[in-house]
Amino acid sequence: MLYRLPYTKSAVSLAVAATLLHSPAQAQQTRNVQPSQMVQGGTGLIQTPTARMRPAGDLAINYTDNHEYRFWSVSLQLFEWMEATARYTDVRTQLYSQVESFSGDQTLKDKGLDVKFRVWEESYYLPDISVGFRDFGGTGFFESEYITASKAVGPFDFHLGVGWGYMGSADDITNPFCNLKDSFCERPVGYSGLGGKVDYNQFFKGTMAVYGGVEYQTPWAPLRLKLEYEGNTYEFDRAGELEQDTRLNVGAVYKWNNFDFSLNYQRGNTVGFGVTYQFNMHTFEQVKVDEPPRELMTRKPPEKVEDINRYRLYTELQRDAAFILSDVDIQEDEAVFYGRQSAYRDIAEANERTGRVIASELPDSVKTYHLVELNGNIPMVDTVIDADAFIAAARYESLDADITNTWQRQNPAPEVREDFKPASTSGFFHSTDFFWTQTFGSPEDFYLYQTGLIFSGGYAFDENWTAMGSLSATVFDNFDKFNFTVDKEDTPLPRVRTRVREYVSNNRFSVDTAFLQYKDQLSDNLFGQVYGGYLERMFAGLGGELLYRAVDSNIAYGVDINYVKQRDYDNQFEFLDYDTVTGHASVYWQPEMLPDTQITMSAGRFLAGDKGVNIDFAKRFDSGIVVGAYAAFTDVSSEDYGEGSFTKGFYLSIPLDLFVLRPAKGRGMFPWIPISRDGGQLLRRPVRLIEFTEPRSPFYD
């Protein structure tokens, strides 16, 4: 079947230019123009996305100003073939609400999510081809779908694409999907009032438009120039209909270190500017001041076990390898060291450093070293080192020797667990951390925050019973700007989270947790715990959990059940009337086809009594930074849920050692929850077995 396609001179020119790119005489495989960010965030020209992808792990933080709009966005190259962008839009021409007492002169803020997938990678003759979805998870201010191609020729990078929705309002060509089904010919105009839902029924519907352009790398390395022909006519903007004198936009990007500074002229009448800071989460690192691993080339071990300088061995294990001992059993041919690694996140580096210290201090008669990693005085994993092979590899006696092949990780054998006899299984412990609570786009102010210190501590009665708790102290915040504590929405759900403003603003000092816990390893791969007390700032109760997790397995299974009662926000030691039973069956999966990724699926009953599943997706980069997102889908309708339609959130987990000069373990968590309502809410259990058993199959460490 043939389609007659309306055209414009500009569209034809771009199409001809793109066709010429495929001639062997002009095509080049080397791309000299590096991708840059567009106005709304994400790799593109000015207002339009391109097919380009940045190196995996690239993170770009953007601010742009376009007169009627201001955009704050974060764009992440999650995989080589997938880019994701989260964006806040400030609509300067609209108020947050027409109710002055609610928002005053605060302008309208909107959240949006974009995603782009590369379906074909550029070759000598063929271009990069990508498919993308803009603003698919917000209120749909800029909702669009597009297919775009990009081809490099020397210092030029050419782009040609077609868009639907916001990007297709120019109606250049007939939507081919109309021939498949009449419903594809029309697209609802406007935006979703509740937001948050993915409007699958609008994808690739309505009018289409051609867009494209070129980016040119000038002879002066920091400067790139852009020319763009866009497919939007700005008739249906949330800021109101905008005047457009031309569909051509021009711009320039100046690069300085990790910053890009952009300047553009759009629609023939509007000047825009922006700044982007970017870095790569695979290669991001902190210079370390640290001693090199122990040298074994001049190794002079003792003759017999009786000649071991145990004081020096134990001291240097802690000093040179950060291995904190709890017990040691050294026999004539085998040595077992029970302890925990306190500084080195990389397993291979930790094992090599520890093995080198042991090899330098033990006689040759000891043929096997056991490094038994503990957590809470429970043996988690036994790293068994072949001493002769390890020493040969450490001394570089073979060109192809790989020291990581000289050990294997396994479940601690029954005799290894039984022989563990620490000097003490009881005692006090404590720690101090900081916390950071933040919210974007509130009616009172765009950015609200609360930060302070969390003092945690407790007493271990033995390896099983522990009493612990935490106290938070607010140091800085701007929550005094709150002009309401509970929203006025008529919701059928119990208020399990929407009273959060009352909990976080009523007390400068808060007893977050105070509970008693019993934990144990029930069999080789099965762990269990029970607990009771103040489990989080909003709920107290009783609960239990079982977890099956084998050593270095890419999958684990768990189940938890809890009876909880809501704590009073005015008096931390009293309770409100609401109580419930909540619990989930969970699967923790690290799929082989998505390296360094963990997917958690938890199905069960949530705090508000709704039933469904919570899906958590986490991606770890080589630096140790983890980026994650989660969403809960329950039997609560979007109308009953309220603004946002369903629970979702994002988080960034950053290793401490990216900010200090010495190796260190520990992490900081930075969450972003666009809208927090009452449906799909999990109990924030203070101790989870998946975290407690982390050494058995590390993802975060």
Side-chain angles (χ1 to χ4, degrees):
M1 182 177 293
L2 298 177
Y3 300 100
R4 183 181 179 188
L5 305 181
Y7 64 92
T8 65
K9 291 183 179 179
S10 299
V12 171
S13 299
L14 288 170
V16 172
T19 303
L20 290 175
L21 298 182
H22 300 296
S23 64
Q26 295 187 13
Q28 297 185 19
Q29 276 190 296
T30 302
R31 180 154 46 89
N32 297 321
V33 186
Q34 296 304 310
S36 57
Q37 296 287 294
M38 59 181 173
V39 165
Q40 296 188 10
T43 304
L45 289 168
I46 301 169
Q47 283 284 348
T48 60
T50 66
R52 293 305 185 197
M53 299 285 177
R54 293 165 291 136
D58 261 16
L59 182 73
I61 303 170
N62 313 288
Y63 169 76
T64 56
D65 191 305
N66 271 19
H67 189 59
E68 294 88 0
Y69 295 110
R70 284 184 293 185
F71 298 102
W72 294 266
S73 64
V74 176
S75 182
L76 169 63
Q77 193 70 43
L78 200 60
F79 301 100
E80 291 181 351
W81 45 268
M82 178 184 176
E83 176 188 74
T85 301
R87 174 178 55 258
Y88 264 99
T89 303
D90 177 12
V91 186
R92 282 175 164 152
T93 61
Q94 303 289 332
L95 291 177
Y96 193 99
S97 167
Q98 300 305 315
V99 181
E100 185 174 350
S101 61
F102 180 70
S103 58
D105 59 358
Q106 178 76 240
T107 52
L108 179 62
K109 305 297 190 298
D110 175 66
K111 298 168 287 290
L113 297 173
D114 304 346
V115 65
K116 180 171 67 178
F117 303 95
R118 183 172 62 199
V119 296
W120 186 272
E121 189 171 3
E122 183 179 18
S123 61
Y124 192 86
Y125 293 104
L126 297 177
D128 266 348
I129 300 176
S130 294
V131 177
F133 303 84
R134 174 186 281 187
D135 209 359
F136 69 93
T139 51
F141 279 17
F142 310 103
E143 190 176 60
S144 307
E145 304 80 52
Y146 59 88
I147 301 173
T148 180
S150 300
K151 191 74 180 74
V153 178
F156 296 94
D157 202 14
F158 292 89
H159 314 282
L160 183 65
V162 292
W164 289 259
Y166 185 79
M167 294 173 54
S169 59
D171 196 11
D172 287 331
I173 58 178
T174 302
N175 186 345
F177 296 116
C178 285
N179 293 275
L180 300 177
K181 195 173 183 180
D182 290 343
S183 60
F184 280 95
C185 298
E186 298 293 333
R187 185 186 188 105
V189 177
Y191 61 96
S192 171
L194 291 174
K197 290 193 299 184
V198 179
D199 292 326
Y200 303 104
N201 62 343
Q202 295 195 30
F203 285 175
F204 303 103
K205 289 184 177 180
T207 59
M208 287 179 61
V210 174
Y211 72 86
V214 60
E215 188 166 3
Y216 170 61
Q217 173 61 60
T218 70
W220 186 33
L223 182 63
R224 284 164 285 172
L225 303 177
K226 298 181 177 184
L227 173 65
E228 170 188 75
Y229 178 81
E230 63 174 316
N232 181 26
T233 58
Y234 296 91
E235 297 176 70
F236 309 109
D237 269 64
R238 191 69 174 97
E241 184 175 353
L242 306 183
E243 183 180 352
Q244 184 183 52
D245 298 330
T246 176
R247 288 169 63 182
L248 288 172
N249 303 321
V250 295
V253 178
Y254 176 81
K255 185 174 183 61
W256 177 72
N257 293 330
N258 286 0
F259 289 90
D260 279 356
F261 299 92
S262 62
L263 181 66
N264 54 68
Y265 187 63
Q266 303 175 46
R267 309 196 305 270
N269 53 42
T270 301
V271 174
F273 62 90
V275 60
T276 299
Y277 176 75
Q278 51 196 352
F279 66 95
N280 189 280
M281 290 191 290
H282 277 310
T283 60
F284 186 75
E285 61 182 358
Q286 169 66 53
V287 174
K288 291 290 183 286
V289 178
D290 194 17
E291 295 295 326
R294 178 71 61 89
E295 176 61 63
L296 295 184
M297 298 300 290
T298 57
R299 172 177 175 265
K300 296 180 180 179
E303 293 290 332
K304 303 185 297 296
V305 169
E306 293 78 8
D307 298 332
I308 297 172
N309 186 331
R310 291 178 179 254
Y311 174 79
R312 185 173 64 199
L313 169 61
Y314 303 162
T315 301
E316 292 181 351
L317 276 172
Q318 179 172 340
R319 187 192 66 192
D320 295 351
F323 192 75
I324 312 301
L325 284 170
S326 293
D327 190 20
V328 179
D329 181 16
I330 302 177
Q331 303 297 326
E332 190 66 32
D333 61 348
E334 184 178 64
V336 184
F337 298 85
Y338 301 88
R340 62 182 179 85
Q341 176 53 238
S342 64
Y344 296 98
R345 290 189 296 110
D346 183 82
I347 293 176
E349 181 180 10
N351 288 343
E352 182 177 353
R353 283 180 171 271
T354 306
R356 283 174 175 269
V357 172
I358 294 171
S360 67
E361 299 293 339
L362 295 191
D364 289 335
S365 64
V366 180
K367 300 299 183 181
T368 305
Y369 312 147
H370 293 260
L371 309 181
V372 182
E373 180 86 9
L374 306 172
N375 197 2
N377 275 332
I378 295 180
M380 289 290 157
V381 60
D382 182 7
T383 301
V384 183
I385 301 177
D386 182 326
D388 290 341
F390 179 88
I391 293 169
R395 292 164 62 98
Y396 309 106
E397 294 178 4
S398 172
L399 293 178
D400 59 352
D402 183 352
I403 201 166
T404 62
N405 292 331
T406 65
W407 64 70
Q408 63 178 6
R409 287 162 46 88
Q410 64 185 34
N411 200 54
E415 59 271 20
V416 171
R417 293 202 299 266
E418 292 169 4
D419 290 343
F420 175 48
K421 296 178 175 60
S424 174
T425 59
S426 63
F428 289 96
F429 58 90
H430 62 86
S431 66
T432 301
D433 297 295
F434 80 94
F435 72 89
W436 188 277
T437 302
Q438 61 186 7
T439 178
F440 297 89
S442 295
E444 298 90 348
D445 201 346
F446 175 71
Y447 184 63
L448 296 173
Y449 66 90
Q450 184 184 62
T451 185
L453 299 174
I454 296 179
F455 305 97
S456 302
Y459 184 81
F461 300 97
D462 53 32
E463 67 271 17
N464 301 120
W465 287 98
T466 307
M468 65 185 85
S470 60
L471 172 71
S472 63
T474 300
V475 179
F476 302 108
D477 72 357
N478 64 349
F479 285 177
D480 58 339
K481 293 185 178 181
F482 285 158
N483 59 24
F484 70 94
T485 52
V486 183
D487 62 71
K488 303 299 183 183
E489 288 197 30
D490 183 17
T491 172
L493 297 175
R495 296 280 191 168
V496 296
R497 291 297 185 209
T498 46
R499 292 186 181 274
V500 62
R501 289 180 170 219
E502 294 177 288
Y503 285 97
V504 300
S505 61
N506 280 4
N507 302 287
R508 302 295 292 183
F509 295 92
S510 298
V511 178
D512 292 342
T513 63
F515 62 98
L516 183 67
Q517 177 206 29
Y518 177 87
K519 63 183 183 300
D520 199 5
Q521 183 171 1
L522 306 178
S523 65
D524 281 351
N525 299 313
L526 184 64
F527 298 81
Q529 67 163 340
V530 292
Y531 44 82
Y534 297 126
L535 303 181
E536 55 151 283
R537 185 176 288 194
M538 299 186 193
F539 286 91
L542 304 168
E545 181 185 13
L546 292 173
L547 178 75
Y548 180 89
R549 190 177 199 180
V551 171
D552 288 338
S553 172
N554 68 339
I555 195 165
Y557 308 92
V559 61
D560 67 273
I561 185 71
N562 310 272
Y563 166 75
V564 294
K565 192 171 180 63
Q566 194 167 24
R567 297 174 64 183
D568 193 329
Y569 41 83
D570 288 324
N571 187 325
Q572 301 177 60
F573 302 102
E574 294 185 0
F575 298 92
L576 302 178
D577 291 336
Y578 182 72
D579 62 347
T580 190
V581 174
T582 179
H584 291 81
S586 300
V587 177
Y588 310 88
W589 181 36
Q590 298 180 35
E592 295 180 359
M593 65 277 199
L594 296 175
D596 302 318
T597 297
Q598 180 167 280
I599 299 172
T600 302
M601 292 172 284
S602 300
R605 192 171 192 264
F606 294 85
L607 281 173
D610 49 329
K611 302 177 182 65
V613 60
N614 186 87
I615 301 174
D616 184 295
F617 178 93
K619 166 67 178 177
R620 184 187 64 231
F621 297 92
D622 291 348
S623 63
I625 296 174
V626 174
V627 175
Y630 62 88
F633 305 96
T634 76
D635 54 4
V636 174
S637 67
S638 59
E639 290 74 18
D640 287 343
Y641 181 90
E643 185 181 1
S645 297
F646 63 95
T647 288
K648 51 191 168 295
F650 308 87
Y651 56 89
L652 193 65
S653 177
I654 303 178
L656 174 63
D657 70 353
L658 292 182
F659 302 95
V660 295
L661 295 177
R662 298 283 298 177
K665 299 185 83 171
R667 287 181 167 271
M669 183 75 76
F670 298 89
W672 174 48
I673 304 173
I675 296 290
S676 182
R677 301 296 302 168
D678 297 306
Q681 293 292 343
L682 293 164
L683 176 68
R684 295 169 187 150
R685 293 181 289 125
V687 179
R688 302 196 313 151
L689 289 179
I690 193 66
E691 296 163 355
F692 178 72
T693 60
E694 176 75 6
R696 291 178 69 83
S697 185
F699 178 76
Y700 283 91
D701 290 333

